[in-house]
Amino acid sequence: MIHFFIFLPVLASLLIFLVPVRWREEFAGAAAGLTLAGGLWSWSVGGLSAYSINWIPAIGVTYSVQMDGVSLLLGIVTAFMTLIAVIYAGKRIPNPGTMLSLILMMETGLLGIYAARDLVLFYVFFEDALIPALLMLAIYGKAHRMAALIKFAAYTLFGSLLMLISIIGLKYYGGSPTFALADLQAHPVTGSVQTWLFLGFLAAMAVKLPLFPMHAWLPDFHAQNHDSGVADVMGTLYKVGAYGLFRFGIILFPDAMLELRPILMALAAFTALYAAWIAFSQTDWKRLLAYAGLSHMGLVGLGIFSMNETAMIGALFLLAFQNVYTGALFLAAGMLQERVGSLSTKVGGIMTQAGALSGLTMTLWFASIAVPGLAGFIGEFSILLGAYQVYPWLAFLAGLSTIAAAAYALTAYQTTYWQVRPAGAVLAHDLRDLDWLILGAPVAVAIFFGIYSGPALALVQPVVRAWMNGLGGGI
């Protein structure tokens, strides 16, 4: 079943071109829906057990995969938002076959990242997810897409090269027979070598958190992608750095992470506050959402780097559900652009003409700024509570970003959806047909898990506690 869950999307991405053009949207939707159904079934049976075989025995590479609680939660969220992206792409993008293929191909890369229990396999999936992201930008992006593409590729490939060197170093210096996580954990690297190898691994994860100063690719990447927001949904899901640090960093580099904890927590807190401050000055919805997402990921990084159980649980919870409401906000911005021809935060008066679009967008923003009763609150509160137990002043600084978030989000919302509609402006029609599902489903998820977080926390908590027990009961 685990192979079905991982590889069904990429199989569908290849077969879609054999399907008649008029049925491609339905075919892609069925593949994405079956993948989500596979994830939900896996949840119902308690996860997917480990599977491991030798892949390239000569150099110790294995095909080792597993879907435990954390992987499964992130995998289900990925499958859910991929389905939403597929539905909107079919509705919004003319002749969407290529875009649908790239979305499904990227989904397999992301699911593979979460399932991989071999570092070389993790690296392969990590790079596989990059290719469709670049192609979406290159094919469907705006006028300055090539500059954004080069910047995105340069940051990612630079970090990936350093990560690959660190992966090889872990096996070489530790004497592990394979690159499987279990073997690497049984043959640890210690001392200064561990620190240097961690820095190489961190470089790639910092790009995909992202973390200041490795974030510069992010605003242009979102601003230059297709106006629909579909590629931005997949880009949001590609923020896998925090997961990589949790899954591999804490286990393989515990001493280095502890040694660098104050610096890394300070960088994460600064990222959260800095991004929130920059977001306040943005007048383009996509750039504003890019910095809002960066601020959220600063909080996620704070939770992971704290190596505190409560903060880490909150970080993984926030990592999962910010993918839902941030991704949906990009689609809401795409719907706004479709109606008024602009992504400006100054268009004014949308509420008077498109009340449902405005109301659902407002609910998603409430989740984003961590209003109690919505999914964002649980993750952010847990992160700050746990980080406070480690470095109170850093938790305080990062906490200021939640105040700033309310300021930038509500200010931009007011100037877009309230105020006065300019005379002679185009009429903005309200939600129609599938638009209700595209925004309504993420809103329902944000409300449900904001009120009843138990099922999601039940997936995350045992894994985090097992990880911390592996470090001697926590640090």
Side-chain angles (χ1 to χ4, degrees):
M1 184 65 187
I2 191 169
H3 314 302
F4 170 88
F5 186 49
I6 297 170
F7 293 107
L8 174 63
V10 72
L11 178 62
S13 77
L14 299 174
L15 294 177
I16 194 171
F17 296 108
L18 302 178
V19 175
V21 172
R22 63 184 181 135
W23 296 112
R24 286 179 179 176
E25 294 93 328
E26 290 79 3
F27 178 80
L34 283 173
T35 304
L36 176 59
L40 294 173
W41 178 85
S42 303
W43 187 0
S44 71
V45 299
L48 298 171
S49 58
Y51 177 88
S52 181
I53 59 171
N54 288 325
W55 181 20
I56 312 176
I59 58 174
V61 178
T62 68
Y63 173 76
S64 300
V65 291
Q66 183 184 10
M67 279 283 181
D68 61 11
V70 171
S71 301
L72 192 55
L73 176 62
L74 292 168
I76 290 171
V77 166
T78 297
F80 171 72
M81 289 308 297
T82 298
L83 176 60
I84 297 296
V86 163
I87 294 171
Y88 191 51
K91 177 180 184 296
R92 173 74 189 274
I93 298 174
N95 191 19
T98 301
M99 174 64 90
L100 295 172
S101 176
L102 293 173
I103 291 170
L104 293 170
M105 189 182 301
M106 189 168 178
E107 182 180 13
T108 282
L110 295 171
L111 294 175
I113 287 171
Y114 297 133
R117 295 298 182 270
D118 178 285
L119 266 179
V120 172
L121 184 64
F122 174 79
Y123 176 82
V124 169
F125 281 122
F126 190 86
E127 296 302 305
D128 282 349
L130 172 65
I131 296 170
L134 292 174
L135 290 174
M136 285 183 211
L137 181 57
I139 298 171
Y140 295 96
K142 300 179 188 175
H144 302 291
R145 62 185 180 274
M146 294 312 297
L149 186 151
I150 291 170
K151 185 186 293 186
F152 176 46
Y155 271 86
T156 301
L157 294 174
F158 171 75
S160 297
L161 175 62
L162 295 179
M163 176 172 67
L164 182 60
I165 294 171
S166 294
I167 290 171
I168 295 170
L170 278 169
K171 182 176 182 293
Y172 177 79
Y173 288 105
S176 172
T178 73
F179 289 97
L181 178 59
D183 286 336
L184 292 172
Q185 188 178 356
H187 298 79
V189 175
T190 58
S192 61
V193 174
Q194 183 188 117
T195 301
W196 284 107
L197 293 177
F198 172 66
L199 291 174
F201 186 79
L202 176 66
M205 297 303 104
V207 171
K208 286 298 185 292
L209 242 172
L211 185 71
F212 180 91
M214 306 295 283
H215 72 288
W217 60 272
L218 184 67
D220 290 339
F221 171 83
H222 285 300
Q224 292 302 314
N225 255 312
H226 192 270
D227 284 331
S228 65
V230 169
D232 302 292
V233 172
M234 303 310 295
T236 298
L237 294 171
Y238 198 18
K239 294 176 181 175
V240 296
Y243 173 80
L245 288 165
F246 168 76
R247 177 64 64 191
F248 299 104
I250 291 174
I251 291 297
L252 300 177
F253 312 102
D255 297 335
M257 285 195 69
L258 184 60
E259 179 184 358
L260 297 173
R261 178 165 64 176
I263 298 172
L264 296 175
M265 287 184 68
L267 275 176
F270 177 78
T271 299
L273 191 56
Y274 158 81
W277 176 262
I278 299 298
F280 193 79
S281 64
Q282 302 304 307
T283 58
D284 178 279
W285 271 112
K286 277 201 173 188
R287 296 187 74 87
L288 188 151
L289 283 166
Y291 282 108
L294 177 61
S295 183
H296 289 141
M297 298 313 293
L299 290 173
V300 170
L302 183 74
I304 296 295
F305 293 135
S306 71
M307 301 177 76
N308 171 276
E309 181 181 310
T310 301
M312 290 176 64
I313 291 170
L316 293 167
F317 188 94
L318 181 61
L319 176 63
F321 289 103
Q322 69 86 31
N323 284 335
V324 175
Y325 50 73
T326 301
L329 281 168
F330 274 112
L331 297 180
M335 292 181 185
L336 176 69
Q337 190 278 334
E338 182 183 20
R339 286 156 173 77
V340 303
S342 173
L343 285 164
S344 171
T345 61
K346 308 293 184 182
V347 295
I350 300 299
M351 178 70 78
T352 61
Q353 299 175 353
L357 171 62
S358 304
L360 291 177
T361 301
M362 180 171 63
T363 305
L364 291 166
W365 269 115
F366 282 165
S368 179
I369 64 176
V371 170
L374 295 168
F377 173 76
I378 297 163
E380 293 192 18
F381 180 79
S382 299
I383 290 167
L384 295 175
L385 179 63
Y388 185 85
Q389 299 171 27
V390 182
Y391 288 110
W393 63 278
L394 288 177
F396 171 77
L397 287 177
L400 294 176
S401 69
T402 63
I403 301 172
Y408 68 68
L410 297 179
T411 299
Y413 185 89
Q414 180 185 14
T415 57
T416 300
Y417 294 93
W418 292 108
Q419 295 195 348
V420 178
R421 193 89 176 100
V426 64
L427 178 66
H429 63 80
D430 210 346
L431 299 182
R432 298 173 179 171
D433 305 323
L434 290 174
D435 293 340
W436 287 95
L437 174 64
I438 291 162
L439 293 186
V443 166
V445 169
I447 293 172
F448 179 84
F449 286 99
I451 296 171
Y452 183 47
S453 59
L457 290 175
L459 290 174
V460 174
Q461 286 174 333
V463 181
V464 173
R465 287 170 180 164
W467 247 226
M468 299 307 292
N469 288 336
L471 299 176
I475 297 176

